[in-house]
Coordinates of all heavy atoms in Angstrom, one line a residue:
M1 N 71.9 -58.6 -69.1 CA 72.2 -57.4 -69.9 C 72.8 -57.8 -71.2 O 73.7 -58.6 -71.3 CB 73.1 -56.6 -69.0 CG 73.3 -55.2 -69.6 SD 74.5 -54.2 -68.6 CE 73.5 -53.8 -67.2
T2 N 72.3 -57.1 -72.3 CA 72.9 -57.4 -73.6 C 74.1 -56.5 -73.8 O 74.4 -55.6 -73.1 CB 71.9 -57.1 -74.7 OG1 71.6 -55.7 -74.7 CG2 70.6 -57.8 -74.5
D3 N 74.9 -56.9 -74.9 CA 76.0 -56.1 -75.2 C 75.7 -54.7 -75.5 O 76.4 -53.7 -75.2 CB 76.8 -56.7 -76.4 CG 77.5 -57.9 -76.0 OD1 77.6 -58.2 -74.8 OD2 78.1 -58.7 -76.9
E4 N 74.5 -54.5 -76.2 CA 74.0 -53.2 -76.6 C 73.8 -52.3 -75.4 O 74.1 -51.2 -75.3 CB 72.8 -53.2 -77.5 CG 73.0 -53.7 -78.9 CD 73.2 -55.2 -79.0 OE1 72.6 -55.9 -78.1 OE2 73.9 -55.7 -79.9
E5 N 73.1 -53.0 -74.4 CA 72.8 -52.3 -73.1 C 74.1 -51.9 -72.4 O 74.2 -50.8 -71.8 CB 71.9 -53.2 -72.2 CG 70.5 -53.2 -72.7 CD 69.7 -54.3 -71.9 OE1 70.3 -55.2 -71.4 OE2 68.4 -54.1 -71.9
L6 N 75.0 -52.8 -72.4 CA 76.3 -52.5 -71.8 C 77.0 -51.4 -72.4 O 77.5 -50.4 -71.8 CB 77.2 -53.8 -71.8 CG 78.4 -53.8 -70.9 CD1 78.0 -53.6 -69.4 CD2 79.2 -55.0 -71.1
A7 N 77.0 -51.4 -73.8 CA 77.7 -50.3 -74.5 C 77.0 -49.0 -74.2 O 77.6 -47.9 -74.1 CB 77.6 -50.6 -76.0
E8 N 75.7 -49.0 -74.2 CA 74.9 -47.8 -73.9 C 75.3 -47.3 -72.5 O 75.4 -46.1 -72.2 CB 73.4 -48.2 -73.9 CG 72.4 -47.1 -73.3 CD 72.3 -45.8 -74.1 OE1 72.8 -45.8 -75.3 OE2 71.9 -44.8 -73.6
L9 N 75.4 -48.2 -71.5 CA 75.8 -47.8 -70.2 C 77.2 -47.2 -70.1 O 77.4 -46.2 -69.4 CB 75.7 -49.1 -69.3 CG 75.6 -48.9 -67.8 CD1 74.3 -48.3 -67.5 CD2 75.7 -50.3 -67.1
E10 N 78.1 -47.7 -70.9 CA 79.4 -47.2 -71.0 C 79.4 -45.7 -71.6 O 80.2 -44.9 -71.2 CB 80.3 -48.1 -71.8 CG 80.8 -49.3 -71.2 CD 81.7 -49.1 -70.0 OE1 82.4 -48.1 -70.0 OE2 81.7 -49.9 -69.0
Q11 N 78.5 -45.6 -72.6 CA 78.5 -44.3 -73.2 C 77.9 -43.2 -72.4 O 78.3 -42.1 -72.3 CB 77.7 -44.4 -74.5 CG 78.2 -45.4 -75.5 CD 78.8 -44.7 -76.7 OE1 78.1 -44.0 -77.4 NE2 80.1 -45.0 -77.0
N12 N 76.8 -43.6 -71.7 CA 76.1 -42.7 -70.8 C 76.0 -43.2 -69.4 O 74.9 -43.7 -69.0 CB 74.6 -42.5 -71.4 CG 74.7 -41.9 -72.8 OD1 75.2 -40.8 -73.0 ND2 74.1 -42.6 -73.7
P13 N 77.1 -43.2 -68.7 CA 77.0 -43.9 -67.4 C 76.1 -43.1 -66.4 O 76.1 -41.9 -66.4 CB 78.5 -43.8 -66.9 CG 79.1 -42.8 -67.7 CD 78.4 -42.7 -69.0
P14 N 75.3 -43.8 -65.7 CA 74.4 -43.1 -64.7 C 75.3 -42.5 -63.6 O 76.4 -42.9 -63.4 CB 73.5 -44.2 -64.2 CG 74.2 -45.5 -64.5 CD 75.1 -45.2 -65.7
A15 N 74.8 -41.6 -63.0 CA 75.5 -40.8 -61.9 C 76.1 -41.8 -60.9 O 77.3 -41.6 -60.5 CB 74.6 -39.8 -61.3
W16 N 75.3 -42.7 -60.5 CA 75.8 -43.6 -59.4 C 77.1 -44.4 -59.8 O 78.0 -44.6 -59.1 CB 74.8 -44.6 -58.9 CG 74.2 -45.5 -60.0 CD1 73.1 -45.4 -60.7 CD2 74.8 -46.8 -60.4 NE1 72.9 -46.4 -61.6 CE2 74.0 -47.3 -61.4 CE3 76.0 -47.5 -60.0 CZ2 74.3 -48.5 -62.1 CZ3 76.2 -48.7 -60.7 CH2 75.4 -49.2 -61.7
L17 N 77.1 -44.7 -61.2 CA 78.3 -45.5 -61.6 C 79.5 -44.6 -61.7 O 80.6 -45.0 -61.3 CB 77.9 -46.0 -63.0 CG 79.0 -47.0 -63.6 CD1 79.3 -48.2 -62.7 CD2 78.6 -47.4 -65.0
T18 N 79.3 -43.4 -62.2 CA 80.4 -42.4 -62.3 C 81.0 -42.2 -60.9 O 82.2 -42.2 -60.6 CB 79.9 -41.1 -62.9 OG1 79.2 -41.3 -64.0 CG2 81.1 -40.1 -63.1
Q19 N 80.1 -42.0 -59.9 CA 80.5 -41.7 -58.6 C 81.2 -42.9 -58.0 O 82.3 -42.7 -57.4 CB 79.2 -41.4 -57.7 CG 79.5 -41.0 -56.3 CD 80.3 -39.7 -56.3 OE1 80.1 -38.8 -57.0 NE2 81.3 -39.7 -55.5
S20 N 80.8 -44.1 -58.2 CA 81.4 -45.2 -57.6 C 82.7 -45.5 -58.2 O 83.7 -45.9 -57.5 CB 80.5 -46.5 -57.6 OG 80.8 -47.3 -58.7
R21 N 82.9 -45.2 -59.5 CA 84.2 -45.3 -60.1 C 85.2 -44.3 -59.6 O 86.3 -44.6 -59.4 CB 84.1 -45.2 -61.7 CG 83.5 -46.4 -62.3 CD 83.5 -46.4 -63.8 NE 83.1 -47.6 -64.3 CZ 82.7 -47.8 -65.6 NH1 82.7 -46.8 -66.4 NH2 82.3 -49.0 -66.0
A22 N 84.7 -43.1 -59.4 CA 85.5 -42.0 -58.8 C 86.0 -42.4 -57.4 O 87.2 -42.2 -57.1 CB 84.8 -40.7 -58.8
N23 N 85.2 -43.0 -56.7 CA 85.6 -43.4 -55.3 C 86.6 -44.5 -55.4 O 87.6 -44.5 -54.6 CB 84.4 -44.0 -54.5 CG 83.4 -42.9 -54.1 OD1 83.8 -41.7 -54.1 ND2 82.2 -43.3 -53.7
R24 N 86.4 -45.4 -56.3 CA 87.4 -46.5 -56.4 C 88.8 -46.0 -56.8 O 89.8 -46.4 -56.3 CB 86.9 -47.5 -57.5 CG 87.3 -48.9 -57.1 CD 86.7 -49.9 -58.0 NE 85.3 -49.7 -58.2 CZ 84.7 -50.2 -59.3 NH1 85.3 -50.8 -60.2 NH2 83.4 -50.0 -59.4
T25 N 88.8 -45.0 -57.7 CA 90.1 -44.4 -58.1 C 90.7 -43.7 -56.9 O 91.9 -43.8 -56.7 CB 89.9 -43.4 -59.3 OG1 89.1 -44.1 -60.2 CG2 91.2 -42.9 -59.8
A26 N 89.9 -42.9 -56.1 CA 90.5 -42.2 -55.0 C 91.0 -43.1 -54.0 O 92.0 -42.8 -53.3 CB 89.4 -41.3 -54.5
N27 N 90.4 -44.3 -53.9 CA 90.9 -45.3 -52.9 C 91.8 -46.3 -53.4 O 91.9 -47.4 -52.9 CB 89.7 -45.9 -52.2 CG 88.8 -45.0 -51.5 OD1 89.3 -44.0 -51.0 ND2 87.5 -45.3 -51.4
A28 N 92.5 -46.0 -54.5 CA 93.3 -47.0 -55.2 C 94.4 -47.5 -54.3 O 94.8 -48.6 -54.4 CB 93.9 -46.4 -56.4
R29 N 94.9 -46.6 -53.4 CA 95.9 -47.1 -52.5 C 95.3 -48.1 -51.5 O 94.3 -47.8 -51.0 CB 96.4 -45.9 -51.7 CG 97.8 -46.1 -51.1 CD 98.3 -44.9 -50.4 NE 99.6 -45.1 -49.8 CZ 100.7 -45.1 -50.5 NH1 100.7 -44.8 -51.7 NH2 101.8 -45.4 -49.9
P30 N 96.0 -49.2 -51.3 CA 95.4 -50.2 -50.4 C 95.3 -49.6 -49.0 O 96.1 -48.9 -48.5 CB 96.4 -51.4 -50.4 CG 97.6 -50.8 -50.9 CD 97.3 -49.7 -51.8
V31 N 94.2 -50.0 -48.3 CA 93.9 -49.4 -47.0 C 94.8 -50.2 -46.0 O 95.2 -49.6 -45.0 CB 92.4 -49.5 -46.7 CG1 92.1 -49.0 -45.3 CG2 91.6 -48.9 -47.7
W32 N 94.9 -51.4 -46.2 CA 95.7 -52.2 -45.3 C 96.8 -52.9 -46.1 O 96.6 -53.3 -47.2 CB 94.9 -53.3 -44.6 CG 93.9 -52.7 -43.6 CD1 92.6 -52.4 -43.8 CD2 94.2 -52.3 -42.3 NE1 92.1 -51.8 -42.7 CE2 93.1 -51.8 -41.7 CE3 95.4 -52.4 -41.5 CZ2 93.0 -51.3 -40.4 CZ3 95.3 -51.9 -40.2 CH2 94.1 -51.4 -39.6
M33 N 97.9 -53.1 -45.4 CA 99.1 -53.7 -46.0 C 99.6 -54.7 -45.0 O 99.6 -54.5 -43.8 CB 100.1 -52.6 -46.3 CG 101.2 -52.9 -47.3 SD 102.2 -51.5 -47.3 CE 103.8 -52.3 -47.5
Q34 N 100.0 -55.9 -45.5 CA 100.6 -56.9 -44.7 C 102.1 -56.7 -44.6 O 102.8 -56.7 -45.6 CB 100.2 -58.3 -45.2 CG 100.3 -59.4 -44.2 CD 99.2 -59.3 -43.1 OE1 98.2 -58.7 -43.4 NE2 99.5 -59.7 -41.9
L35 N 102.6 -56.4 -43.4 CA 104.0 -56.3 -43.2 C 104.5 -57.6 -42.7 O 104.0 -58.2 -41.8 CB 104.3 -55.2 -42.1 CG 103.6 -53.8 -42.3 CD1 103.9 -52.9 -41.2 CD2 104.1 -53.2 -43.6
T36 N 105.6 -58.1 -43.3 CA 106.2 -59.4 -42.9 C 107.7 -59.2 -42.7 O 108.4 -58.7 -43.6 CB 105.9 -60.5 -43.9 OG1 104.4 -60.5 -44.1 CG2 106.3 -61.8 -43.4
C37 N 108.1 -59.7 -41.6 CA 109.6 -59.6 -41.3 C 110.3 -60.7 -42.1 O 109.9 -61.9 -42.1 CB 109.8 -59.9 -39.8 SG 111.5 -60.1 -39.4
I38 N 111.4 -60.3 -42.8 CA 112.1 -61.2 -43.6 C 112.9 -62.2 -42.8 O 113.3 -63.3 -43.3 CB 113.1 -60.4 -44.6 CG1 113.8 -61.3 -45.6 CG2 114.1 -59.6 -43.8 CD1 113.0 -61.7 -46.7
V39 N 113.2 -61.8 -41.6 CA 114.1 -62.7 -40.7 C 113.2 -63.7 -40.0 O 113.5 -64.9 -40.1 CB 114.9 -61.8 -39.7 CG1 115.7 -62.7 -38.8 CG2 115.7 -60.8 -40.4
C40 N 112.2 -63.3 -39.3 CA 111.5 -64.3 -38.4 C 110.1 -64.6 -38.8 O 109.4 -65.4 -38.3 CB 111.5 -63.8 -36.9 SG 110.4 -62.3 -36.7
G41 N 109.6 -63.8 -39.8 CA 108.3 -64.1 -40.4 C 107.2 -63.5 -39.6 O 106.0 -63.7 -39.9
F42 N 107.5 -62.7 -38.6 CA 106.4 -62.0 -37.8 C 105.7 -61.1 -38.8 O 106.2 -60.5 -39.7 CB 107.1 -61.1 -36.8 CG 106.0 -60.2 -36.0 CD1 105.3 -60.7 -35.0 CD2 105.8 -58.9 -36.4 CE1 104.3 -59.9 -34.3 CE2 104.9 -58.1 -35.8 CZ 104.2 -58.6 -34.7
T43 N 104.4 -61.1 -38.7 CA 103.5 -60.4 -39.7 C 102.5 -59.5 -39.0 O 102.0 -59.9 -37.9 CB 103.0 -61.3 -40.7 OG1 102.2 -60.6 -41.6 CG2 102.0 -62.4 -40.1
E44 N 102.2 -58.5 -39.6 CA 101.2 -57.5 -38.9 C 100.6 -56.7 -40.1 O 101.2 -56.4 -41.1 CB 102.0 -56.6 -38.1 CG 101.4 -55.3 -37.7 CD 102.4 -54.4 -36.9 OE1 102.8 -54.8 -35.8 OE2 102.7 -53.3 -37.4
A45 N 99.3 -56.5 -39.9 CA 98.6 -55.6 -40.9 C 98.7 -54.2 -40.4 O 98.5 -53.9 -39.2 CB 97.1 -56.0 -41.0
A46 N 99.0 -53.3 -41.3 CA 99.2 -51.9 -41.0 C 98.6 -51.0 -42.1 O 98.4 -51.4 -43.2 CB 100.6 -51.5 -40.8
R47 N 98.2 -49.8 -41.7 CA 97.7 -48.9 -42.7 C 99.0 -48.2 -43.3 O 99.7 -47.6 -42.6 CB 96.9 -47.8 -42.0 CG 95.5 -48.3 -41.7 CD 94.7 -47.2 -41.0 NE 93.4 -47.6 -40.7 CZ 92.4 -47.7 -41.5 NH1 92.6 -47.2 -42.8 NH2 91.2 -48.1 -41.2
P48 N 99.2 -48.4 -44.6 CA 100.4 -47.8 -45.2 C 100.3 -46.2 -45.1 O 99.3 -45.7 -45.3 CB 100.3 -48.2 -46.6 CG 99.0 -48.8 -46.9 CD 98.4 -49.1 -45.6
K49 N 101.4 -45.6 -44.9 CA 101.5 -44.2 -44.8 C 101.9 -43.7 -46.2 O 102.6 -44.4 -47.0 CB 102.6 -43.8 -43.8 CG 102.4 -44.3 -42.4 CD 101.3 -43.5 -41.7 CE 101.3 -43.9 -40.2 NZ 100.8 -45.2 -40.0
K50 N 101.5 -42.5 -46.5 CA 101.8 -41.9 -47.9 C 103.3 -41.9 -48.2 O 103.7 -42.1 -49.3 CB 101.3 -40.5 -47.9 CG 99.8 -40.4 -48.1 CD 99.4 -39.1 -48.8 CE 97.9 -39.0 -49.1 NZ 97.1 -39.1 -47.8
W51 N 104.1 -41.7 -47.1 CA 105.6 -41.5 -47.3 C 106.3 -42.8 -47.4 O 107.5 -42.8 -47.6 CB 106.2 -40.6 -46.2 CG 105.8 -41.1 -44.8 CD1 104.8 -40.6 -44.1 CD2 106.5 -42.0 -44.0 NE1 104.8 -41.2 -42.9 CE2 105.9 -42.1 -42.8 CE3 107.7 -42.7 -44.2 CZ2 106.3 -42.9 -41.7 CZ3 108.1 -43.6 -43.2 CH2 107.4 -43.6 -42.0
W52 N 105.6 -44.0 -47.2 CA 106.3 -45.2 -47.3 C 106.7 -45.5 -48.7 O 105.9 -45.5 -49.6 CB 105.5 -46.4 -46.8 CG 105.2 -46.4 -45.3 CD1 105.6 -45.5 -44.4 CD2 104.5 -47.4 -44.6 NE1 105.1 -45.8 -43.2 CE2 104.5 -47.0 -43.3 CE3 103.9 -48.6 -45.0 CZ2 103.9 -47.8 -42.3 CZ3 103.3 -49.4 -44.0 CH2 103.3 -49.0 -42.7
P53 N 108.0 -45.7 -49.0 CA 108.4 -46.2 -50.3 C 108.1 -47.7 -50.5 O 107.6 -48.3 -49.6 CB 109.9 -45.9 -50.3 CG 110.4 -45.9 -48.9 CD 109.2 -45.6 -48.0
E54 N 108.4 -48.2 -51.6 CA 108.3 -49.7 -51.8 C 109.5 -50.3 -51.2 O 110.6 -50.3 -51.8 CB 108.3 -49.9 -53.3 CG 107.0 -49.6 -54.0 CD 105.9 -50.7 -53.8 OE1 106.3 -51.8 -53.7 OE2 104.8 -50.3 -53.6
F55 N 109.3 -50.9 -50.0 CA 110.5 -51.5 -49.3 C 110.9 -52.8 -50.0 O 110.1 -53.5 -50.5 CB 110.1 -51.8 -47.9 CG 109.9 -50.5 -47.1 CD1 108.6 -50.2 -46.6 CD2 110.9 -49.6 -46.9 CE1 108.4 -49.1 -45.9 CE2 110.6 -48.4 -46.2 CZ 109.4 -48.1 -45.7
T56 N 112.3 -53.0 -50.0 CA 112.8 -54.2 -50.5 C 112.6 -55.3 -49.5 O 112.2 -56.4 -49.8 CB 114.3 -54.1 -50.7 OG1 114.6 -52.9 -51.5 CG2 114.9 -55.3 -51.4
Y57 N 112.8 -55.0 -48.2 CA 112.5 -55.9 -47.1 C 112.0 -55.2 -45.9 O 112.2 -53.9 -45.8 CB 113.8 -56.6 -46.6 CG 114.7 -57.3 -47.6 CD1 115.9 -56.9 -47.9 CD2 114.2 -58.5 -48.2 CE1 116.7 -57.5 -48.8 CE2 115.0 -59.2 -49.1 CZ 116.2 -58.7 -49.4 OH 117.0 -59.3 -50.3
L58 N 111.3 -55.9 -45.1 CA 111.0 -55.4 -43.8 C 111.6 -56.3 -42.7 O 111.6 -57.5 -42.9 CB 109.5 -55.3 -43.6 CG 108.8 -54.3 -44.5 CD1 107.3 -54.6 -44.6 CD2 108.9 -52.9 -43.9
S59 N 112.1 -55.7 -41.6 CA 112.4 -56.6 -40.5 C 112.1 -56.0 -39.2 O 111.9 -54.8 -39.2 CB 114.0 -56.9 -40.6 OG 114.7 -55.9 -40.0
C60 N 112.0 -56.8 -38.2 CA 111.7 -56.2 -36.9 C 112.9 -55.4 -36.5 O 114.0 -55.6 -36.9 CB 111.5 -57.4 -35.8 SG 110.3 -58.6 -36.3
D61 N 112.6 -54.4 -35.7 CA 113.7 -53.4 -35.4 C 114.7 -54.0 -34.5 O 115.8 -53.3 -34.3 CB 113.1 -52.1 -34.9 CG 112.2 -52.2 -33.7 OD1 112.3 -53.4 -33.1 OD2 111.5 -51.3 -33.3
F62 N 114.5 -55.1 -33.9 CA 115.5 -55.7 -33.0 C 116.5 -56.7 -33.6 O 117.3 -57.2 -32.9 CB 114.9 -56.3 -31.7 CG 113.8 -57.3 -32.0 CD1 114.1 -58.6 -32.4 CD2 112.4 -56.9 -32.0 CE1 113.1 -59.5 -32.6 CE2 111.4 -57.8 -32.3 CZ 111.8 -59.1 -32.6
H63 N 116.3 -57.1 -34.9 CA 117.2 -58.0 -35.5 C 118.5 -57.3 -35.8 O 118.5 -56.1 -36.0 CB 116.6 -58.5 -36.8 CG 115.4 -59.4 -36.6 ND1 115.4 -60.5 -35.8 CD2 114.1 -59.3 -37.1 CE1 114.2 -61.1 -35.8 NE2 113.4 -60.4 -36.6
D64 N 119.6 -58.1 -35.8 CA 120.9 -57.6 -36.1 C 120.9 -57.3 -37.7 O 120.3 -58.0 -38.4 CB 122.0 -58.5 -35.8 CG 122.2 -58.5 -34.3 OD1 121.9 -57.5 -33.6 OD2 122.6 -59.5 -33.7
Y65 N 121.8 -56.4 -38.0 CA 121.9 -56.0 -39.4 C 122.3 -57.2 -40.2 O 121.8 -57.3 -41.4 CB 123.0 -54.9 -39.4 CG 123.2 -54.3 -40.8 CD1 122.4 -53.3 -41.2 CD2 124.2 -54.8 -41.6 CE1 122.5 -52.7 -42.5 CE2 124.4 -54.2 -42.9 CZ 123.5 -53.2 -43.3 OH 123.7 -52.7 -44.6
D66 N 123.1 -58.1 -39.7 CA 123.6 -59.2 -40.6 C 122.6 -60.3 -40.7 O 122.9 -61.3 -41.3 CB 125.0 -59.6 -40.1 CG 125.0 -60.2 -38.7 OD1 123.9 -60.3 -38.1 OD2 126.1 -60.4 -38.1
E67 N 121.5 -60.2 -40.0 CA 120.4 -61.2 -40.2 C 119.6 -61.0 -41.4 O 118.9 -61.9 -42.0 CB 119.5 -61.2 -39.0 CG 120.1 -61.7 -37.7 CD 119.1 -61.8 -36.6 OE1 118.3 -62.7 -36.5 OE2 119.2 -60.9 -35.7
V68 N 119.7 -59.8 -41.9 CA 118.9 -59.4 -43.1 C 119.7 -59.7 -44.3 O 121.0 -59.4 -44.3 CB 118.5 -57.9 -43.0 CG1 117.8 -57.4 -44.3 CG2 117.7 -57.6 -41.8
P69 N 119.2 -60.2 -45.4 CA 120.0 -60.4 -46.6 C 120.7 -59.2 -47.1 O 120.2 -58.1 -47.0 CB 119.0 -60.9 -47.7 CG 117.8 -61.3 -46.9 CD 117.8 -60.5 -45.6
A70 N 122.0 -59.4 -47.5 CA 122.8 -58.2 -47.9 C 122.2 -57.6 -49.2 O 121.6 -58.3 -50.0 CB 124.2 -58.7 -48.1
P71 N 122.4 -56.3 -49.4 CA 122.0 -55.7 -50.6 C 122.7 -56.3 -51.8 O 123.8 -56.7 -51.7 CB 122.3 -54.2 -50.5 CG 123.3 -54.1 -49.4 CD 123.1 -55.4 -48.5
R72 N 122.0 -56.3 -53.0 CA 122.7 -56.8 -54.2 C 123.8 -55.9 -54.6 O 123.8 -54.7 -54.2 CB 121.7 -57.0 -55.3 CG 120.9 -58.2 -55.2 CD 120.1 -58.5 -56.5 NE 119.0 -57.5 -56.6 CZ 118.7 -56.8 -57.7 NH1 119.4 -57.1 -58.8 NH2 117.7 -56.0 -57.7
D73 N 124.8 -56.4 -55.3 CA 125.9 -55.5 -55.7 C 125.5 -54.2 -56.3 O 124.6 -54.2 -57.2 CB 126.8 -56.3 -56.7 CG 127.6 -57.4 -56.1 OD1 127.6 -57.4 -54.8 OD2 128.2 -58.2 -56.8
G74 N 126.1 -53.1 -55.9 CA 125.9 -51.9 -56.5 C 124.6 -51.1 -56.0 O 124.4 -50.0 -56.3
L75 N 123.9 -51.8 -55.1 CA 122.7 -51.1 -54.5 C 123.1 -50.5 -53.2 O 123.9 -51.0 -52.4 CB 121.6 -52.1 -54.3 CG 121.0 -52.7 -55.6 CD1 119.8 -53.6 -55.3 CD2 120.6 -51.7 -56.6
R76 N 122.5 -49.3 -53.0 CA 122.7 -48.6 -51.7 C 121.5 -48.9 -50.8 O 120.4 -48.8 -51.3 CB 122.8 -47.1 -52.0 CG 124.0 -46.4 -51.3 CD 124.2 -45.0 -51.9 NE 122.9 -44.3 -52.0 CZ 122.5 -43.5 -51.0 NH1 123.2 -43.3 -49.9 NH2 121.3 -42.9 -51.2
R77 N 121.8 -49.1 -49.6 CA 120.8 -49.5 -48.6 C 120.4 -48.3 -47.8 O 121.2 -47.6 -47.2 CB 121.2 -50.7 -47.8 CG 120.2 -51.0 -46.7 CD 120.4 -52.4 -46.2 NE 120.0 -53.4 -47.2 CZ 120.0 -54.7 -47.0 NH1 120.5 -55.2 -45.9 NH2 119.6 -55.5 -47.9
Q78 N 119.1 -48.1 -47.6 CA 118.6 -47.1 -46.7 C 117.6 -47.9 -45.7 O 117.0 -48.8 -46.1 CB 117.7 -46.1 -47.5 CG 118.3 -44.9 -48.1 CD 117.2 -44.1 -48.8 OE1 116.9 -44.5 -49.9 NE2 116.7 -43.1 -48.1
E79 N 117.6 -47.4 -44.5 CA 116.7 -48.0 -43.6 C 115.8 -47.0 -43.0 O 116.2 -45.8 -42.8 CB 117.5 -48.6 -42.4 CG 118.3 -49.8 -42.9 CD 119.0 -50.6 -41.7 OE1 118.5 -50.5 -40.6 OE2 119.9 -51.4 -42.0
V80 N 114.5 -47.3 -42.9 CA 113.5 -46.4 -42.4 C 112.9 -46.9 -41.1 O 112.3 -48.0 -41.2 CB 112.4 -46.1 -43.5 CG1 111.4 -45.1 -43.1 CG2 113.1 -45.7 -44.8
D81 N 113.1 -46.2 -40.1 CA 112.5 -46.7 -38.8 C 111.0 -46.3 -38.7 O 110.5 -45.5 -39.4 CB 113.2 -46.0 -37.6 CG 114.6 -46.5 -37.5 OD1 114.9 -47.7 -37.7 OD2 115.5 -45.7 -37.1
G82 N 110.4 -47.0 -37.8 CA 109.0 -46.6 -37.4 C 108.0 -47.1 -38.4 O 106.9 -46.4 -38.6
I83 N 108.1 -48.2 -39.0 CA 107.1 -48.8 -39.9 C 106.3 -49.8 -39.0 O 106.8 -50.7 -38.4 CB 107.8 -49.6 -41.0 CG1 108.8 -48.8 -41.8 CG2 106.7 -50.1 -42.0 CD1 108.3 -47.5 -42.4
G84 N 105.0 -49.5 -39.0 CA 104.1 -50.4 -38.2 C 104.5 -50.3 -36.8 O 105.0 -49.2 -36.3
S85 N 104.3 -51.3 -36.0 CA 104.6 -51.2 -34.6 C 106.0 -51.5 -34.2 O 106.5 -51.1 -33.2 CB 103.7 -52.2 -33.7 OG 104.0 -53.5 -34.1
R86 N 106.7 -52.3 -35.1 CA 108.1 -52.7 -34.7 C 109.0 -53.0 -35.9 O 110.0 -53.7 -35.8 CB 108.0 -54.0 -33.9 CG 107.3 -55.1 -34.6 CD 107.1 -56.3 -33.7 NE 107.9 -57.5 -34.1 CZ 107.8 -58.6 -33.5 NH1 107.0 -58.8 -32.4 NH2 108.6 -59.6 -33.8
F87 N 108.7 -52.5 -37.1 CA 109.4 -52.8 -38.3 C 110.4 -51.7 -38.7 O 110.2 -50.5 -38.4 CB 108.5 -53.0 -39.4 CG 107.8 -54.4 -39.4 CD1 106.5 -54.4 -38.8 CD2 108.4 -55.5 -39.8 CE1 105.9 -55.7 -38.7 CE2 107.7 -56.7 -39.8 CZ 106.5 -56.8 -39.2
V88 N 111.5 -52.1 -39.3 CA 112.4 -51.2 -40.0 C 112.2 -51.6 -41.5 O 112.2 -52.7 -41.9 CB 113.8 -51.5 -39.7 CG1 114.8 -50.5 -40.4 CG2 114.0 -51.3 -38.2
G89 N 112.0 -50.5 -42.3 CA 111.9 -50.7 -43.7 C 113.3 -50.6 -44.4 O 114.0 -49.8 -44.0
I90 N 113.6 -51.6 -45.2 CA 114.9 -51.6 -45.9 C 114.7 -51.4 -47.4 O 113.8 -52.1 -48.0 CB 115.6 -53.0 -45.6 CG1 115.9 -53.0 -44.1 CG2 116.9 -53.1 -46.4 CD1 116.2 -54.4 -43.6
L91 N 115.4 -50.5 -47.9 CA 115.2 -50.0 -49.2 C 116.5 -50.1 -49.9 O 117.5 -49.3 -49.6 CB 114.6 -48.6 -49.2 CG 114.2 -48.0 -50.5 CD1 113.0 -48.7 -51.0 CD2 113.8 -46.5 -50.2
D92 N 116.7 -51.0 -50.9 CA 117.9 -51.1 -51.7 C 117.7 -50.4 -53.0 O 116.7 -50.8 -53.7 CB 118.3 -52.6 -51.9 CG 118.7 -53.2 -50.6 OD1 119.0 -52.5 -49.6 OD2 118.6 -54.5 -50.5
S93 N 118.5 -49.5 -53.4 CA 118.3 -48.8 -54.7 C 119.6 -48.4 -55.3 O 120.6 -48.4 -54.7 CB 117.3 -47.6 -54.5 OG 117.9 -46.7 -53.5
Ligands
LIG1 ZN1 111.5 -60.4 -37.1

């Protein structure tokens, strides 16, 4: 394909290209996410939920609080239960 042809395609995208680009945008959120425990390294692939924030750490729900690195100075820690099959999401903000 020449540059001219490519430019022409960009100017007048065929329907299939417009459609496939629209799909890609709609699916921008990753379908699978790798969850990894900060303490023991247990890992699991999960489908991210819309309400999941960007977690600072993830840990298995049975680890003790003091096994997880402490929040940096001035940050407030929130924990979110029920991530994947056994994770707690930790959010320092
Ligand atoms: Zn763990």
Side-chain angles (χ1 to χ4, degrees):
M1 190 183 282
T2 66
D3 285 353
E4 288 76 30
E5 282 170 339
L6 193 61
E8 166 68 18
L9 201 63
E10 285 293 331
Q11 301 249 302
N12 300 300
W16 61 263
L17 184 59
T18 310
Q19 187 59 45
S20 100
R21 283 188 176 164
N23 285 345
R24 212 173 313 157
T25 310
N27 295 332
R29 200 177 180 82
V31 181
W32 290 96
M33 199 178 140
Q34 200 67 29
L35 308 175
T36 305
C37 172
I38 185 77
V39 180
C40 70
F42 175 83
T43 182
E44 158 184 299
R47 287 179 177 278
K49 305 283 190 291
K50 282 204 178 61
W51 52 267
W52 290 5
E54 285 283 324
F55 295 116
T56 310
Y57 304 116
L58 290 159
S59 81
C60 309
D61 56 13
F62 52 80
H63 293 304
D64 286 332
Y65 185 81
D66 61 9
E67 291 184 78
V68 177
R72 280 191 289 135
D73 286 348
L75 296 184
R76 225 165 50 90
R77 173 160 288 181
Q78 270 178 281
E79 296 189 16
V80 184
D81 289 327
I83 308 300
S85 67
R86 60 186 249 183
F87 285 94
V88 180
I90 293 161
L91 187 66
D92 295 338
S93 58

